[in-house]
Amino acid sequence: MIIIALILINLILISFFNFKTILIILFFECLSGLISFAFLKRKSLGLYKFSSSQRIDNSNINDIQSDKYYQKLIDHFDFPIFFLDKNLEIKIQNNQSILSYGKNTSLPVSSVIRDYEFIENIGKFKKNPKFNNFIWKKELPERKTYKAQLKYFNNFIVLQVLDFTQENNSKKNQELYLTNLTHELKTPLSVIIGYLETINFHEFSLEENKSFIQIINSKSFEMKNLIDQMLKLSEVENLVKTKIKINVFETINRSINNYRELFKKNSVTLITDLDSSKNLFIDFAPNDLDIVLNNLLSNALNYSESNTTVTVLANLNIKKNQIEIIVKDQGIGISSDNLTKITEKFYRVDKSRNNLIQGHGLGLAITTEILAKNGCRIDISSDLGKGSAFKIIFPLS
Ligand code: ADP
C-alpha cells in the first residue's frame, strides 16, 4: 500500500515539476529512506521479540549479541537455567545455576549435575526428545526432589531445574493420608460385613447372634468416630475461627467432669491442681480447648494401667510469661524415637500394643493443629514404662 502510494505521489510530482526539481526530491526521498533503515537496524540489535510460540526472531543478530541477551534474560529467573548445545554441553548459565552448580561452560551437563537419575534421564532425552520432563531425587543430606524441563530453542536446548521437593512431598502426604484413611475404614468395615454374614438365627442361639450384633454396633461407632475426627481435622486445618475470651479454670473443670466417672471405673486416680488458673482468661476459638483437653485426658486414661494416677495442673509461669496446662500420667510411656512422631496423622505407637485401645492416631494431630491455630504449642515428655507429660503452653502477650 505504502509503495503504491509513493509511486502515485512520484507520478504526480513528475507531471507538475521540471526534471531538476524531481531529481532533488528523489535525492531527499532516498536519503530519508537510508536514515530510517539505519535507525530500524540499530533498534533491532537490542530488541528480540517473542512470538506466541516463544520463538525468538533474531535472524539479523550475530551470535555473541544473542548470548549476551539470553544471559541477561535468564539471570532474572531464580532457578537454575542452562543453555545446552546439541551434544548437551553447557553454553550459557544463569546466575542461579552458577550458584548451585558452579560455572561450567563447555562441560557436558551430565558431568555437572552428577545425580544418577538425572544422568539416566538426560540420556533418555538425547535418544527421544519427547522425554523432556522428568524428576530426580537428591538423597542425603539434602533429601530433595528436582524437576527438569527441556525445550528446543533456536540452536539451543534450554534446561530448567526446578525444586520439586515441596510439591512432591505434599503429593506423597496426600497419597499416604488416603491410604491410611482407607485402611482405617476398611478394617472395621470388613468386621461388620463378616459378622453380618455370620448372623444366622437357625444356626446360632439368640445370645450368640446378639453378641455379633453388639460387635457390628461397636465397629459402626468406631467408623463414625473416625469420620468425625477426619471432619474435625479438616475443619481445624481449613477454617479460621474467631477467637473469644475463655475462662481457663472453668474449661479445664468442664473437661475433667466429663471424665471423672470413667477414671473411677478404670481405677485411675485423678488429681487436680487448678487454683492458679482461677480468673485467668485466654483468647481461644470456641470449644477448641475442650477438644484438646478431652484428647489428652482420654489418652492419659487409655494408656494407663489401673491403680495409677493422672494429674492435671494449671500454672501461671510469670518468669516465662505463659500459662501452662499439664496432663501427667503414670502410664505405659513413649520411647524417645516415637515421641516426635505421635503428632503425625494416623501414627500409633506399636499397633500390637495399642490393639486393645480404640483409636486412629488422629487425636494428637488434631490437638497440635488446634494449638498452632490458637498461637500455642505442646511440649511432650515421656519415660518409657513410667509415664508421660503433655504440657500446653499459652504465651501471654
Ligand atoms: P490415638 O487415637 O491412637 O490415641 P493419638 O493421636 O491421640 O491417637 O495418639 C497417637 C499415639 O500416641 C497413640 O496411639 C499412642 O501410641 C501414643 N500416645 C498418646 N498419648 C499417650 C500417653 N498418654 N501415653 C502413652 N502413649 C500415648
Side-chain angles (χ1 to χ4, degrees):
M1 276 293 280
I2 294 169
I3 292 167
I4 293 169
L6 278 172
I7 291 170
L8 280 174
I9 291 168
N10 279 322
L11 283 173
I12 294 165
L13 285 175
I14 288 166
S15 56
F16 276 99
F17 298 103
N18 62 28
F19 184 67
K20 215 172 153 190
T21 325
I22 292 163
L23 270 182
I24 294 167
I25 292 170
L26 279 176
F27 171 75
F28 279 111
E29 274 181 11
C30 290
L31 194 67
S32 62
L34 279 172
I35 292 168
S36 326
F37 178 72
F39 175 74
L40 283 174
K41 195 176 177 201
R42 258 188 71 184
K43 217 178 159 194
S44 69
L45 288 179
L47 190 74
Y48 301 76
K49 280 184 183 163
F50 285 88
S51 75
S52 56
S53 62
Q54 289 221 317
R55 281 184 64 84
I56 288 175
D57 177 14
N58 63 345
S59 48
N60 53 0
I61 305 153
N62 67 45
D63 282 339
I64 298 163
Q65 280 158 333
S66 312
D67 286 5
K68 271 190 195 156
Y69 179 75
Y70 292 154
Q71 182 72 63
K72 238 181 175 177
L73 182 73
I74 61 179
D75 278 347
H76 287 291
F77 292 86
D78 58 2
F79 51 84
I81 300 177
F82 299 86
F83 274 49
L84 313 173
D85 68 6
K86 63 178 187 329
N87 299 319
L88 302 178
E89 272 179 18
I90 299 170
K91 292 296 155 199
I92 310 172
Q93 286 179 266
N94 71 342
N95 283 338
Q96 196 54 50
S97 105
I98 295 170
L99 263 176
S100 309
Y101 299 97
K103 195 161 173 57
N104 288 297
T105 317
S106 296
L107 282 181
V109 70
S110 53
S111 68
V112 174
I113 304 180
R114 297 254 355 117
D115 296 281
Y116 174 74
E117 272 184 287
F118 174 80
I119 296 170
E120 197 180 52
N121 283 317
I122 199 93
K124 284 186 193 164
F125 168 77
K126 212 172 170 184
K127 283 187 198 145
N128 175 11
K130 279 188 184 156
F131 192 79
N132 59 357
N133 217 317
F134 55 84
I135 58 171
W136 79 94
K137 291 188 188 76
K138 204 169 170 65
E139 291 304 340
L140 289 168
E142 282 192 70
R143 281 196 191 284
K144 287 207 163 216
T145 308
Y146 294 99
K147 184 178 188 175
Q149 277 176 351
L150 292 135
K151 277 197 178 91
Y152 279 96
F153 188 71
N154 286 350
N155 297 326
F156 293 111
I157 296 162
V158 182
L159 164 67
Q160 300 178 18
V161 177
L162 304 159
D163 190 340
F164 199 56
T165 317
Q166 232 178 348
E167 249 173 299
N168 195 45
N169 282 353
S170 75
K171 206 172 145 199
K172 251 199 219 150
N173 284 346
Q174 263 177 11
E175 281 166 11
L176 191 71
Y177 190 62
L178 208 65
T179 317
N180 280 327
L181 179 62
T182 23
H183 172 79
E184 292 291 316
L185 282 171
K186 233 176 108 185
T187 316
L189 196 61
S190 358
V191 178
I192 292 172
I193 293 169
Y195 278 99
L196 278 174
E197 283 168 356
T198 316
I199 290 175
N200 186 330
F201 288 96
H202 299 297
E203 214 175 302
F204 301 107
S205 69
L206 189 64
E207 280 313 304
E208 281 170 321
N209 280 317
K210 258 188 187 172
S211 74
F212 299 156
I213 291 170
Q214 260 169 13
I215 294 169
I216 292 171
N217 193 36
S218 109
K219 289 291 161 189
S220 309
F221 272 103
E222 199 182 300
M223 283 178 74
K224 185 188 175 297
N225 187 24
L226 169 63
I227 292 164
D228 286 347
Q229 279 194 308
M230 295 292 307
L231 291 174
K232 186 74 227 167
L233 191 61
S234 147
E235 181 197 304
V236 180
E237 282 174 341
N238 299 310
L239 259 187
V240 181
K241 288 205 225 161
T242 319
K243 290 178 195 168
I244 53 164
K245 285 245 173 294
I246 60 161
N247 184 318
V248 178
F249 181 78
E250 273 177 16
T251 313
I252 303 176
N253 264 319
R254 200 168 45 236
S255 293
I256 285 175
N257 286 338
N258 289 337
Y259 278 89
R260 234 180 253 287
E261 279 311 306
L262 273 174
F263 273 81
K264 224 186 242 172
K265 206 171 135 193
N266 287 279
S267 309
V268 176
T269 313
L270 188 60
I271 298 175
T272 59
D273 181 359
L274 307 172
D275 283 354
S276 59
S277 68
K278 271 184 184 158
N279 305 320
L280 276 183
F281 286 84
I282 51 169
D283 290 327
F284 222 90
N287 301 324
D288 272 9
L289 186 56
D290 301 67
I291 296 169
V292 168
L293 291 168
N294 289 348
N295 279 339
L296 297 184
L297 286 169
S298 81
N299 279 350
L301 181 64
N302 284 337
Y303 302 107
S304 289
E305 308 284 339
S306 53
N307 301 318
T308 56
T309 302
V310 168
T311 314
V312 184
L313 303 165
N315 179 30
L316 174 64
N317 188 332
I318 295 174
K319 224 169 144 191
K320 292 191 177 166
N321 201 28
Q322 63 194 27
I323 298 172
E324 302 162 349
I325 299 176
I326 303 158
V327 180
K328 214 161 78 179
D329 63 57
Q330 296 173 336
I332 56 176
I334 307 153
S335 67
S336 54
D337 50 329
N338 278 314
L339 217 50
T340 49
K341 298 181 193 147
I342 54 171
T343 51
E344 288 169 14
K345 289 171 202 164
F346 294 108
Y347 191 85
R348 303 197 79 203
V349 178
D350 185 4
K351 290 211 173 188
S352 60
R353 188 183 70 158
N354 276 358
N355 249 355
L356 297 171
I357 304 158
Q358 269 195 16
H360 305 282
L362 287 174
L364 288 177
I366 295 172
T367 298
T368 43
E369 190 66 38
I370 288 180
L371 292 176
K373 280 273 155 74
N374 285 281
C376 315
R377 65 185 174 86
I378 190 159
D379 262 7
I380 310 171
S381 53
S382 188
D383 245 346
L384 194 60
K386 289 189 179 156
S388 315
F390 294 76
K391 188 198 276 183
I392 307 169
I393 298 167
F394 306 87
L396 293 172
S397 45

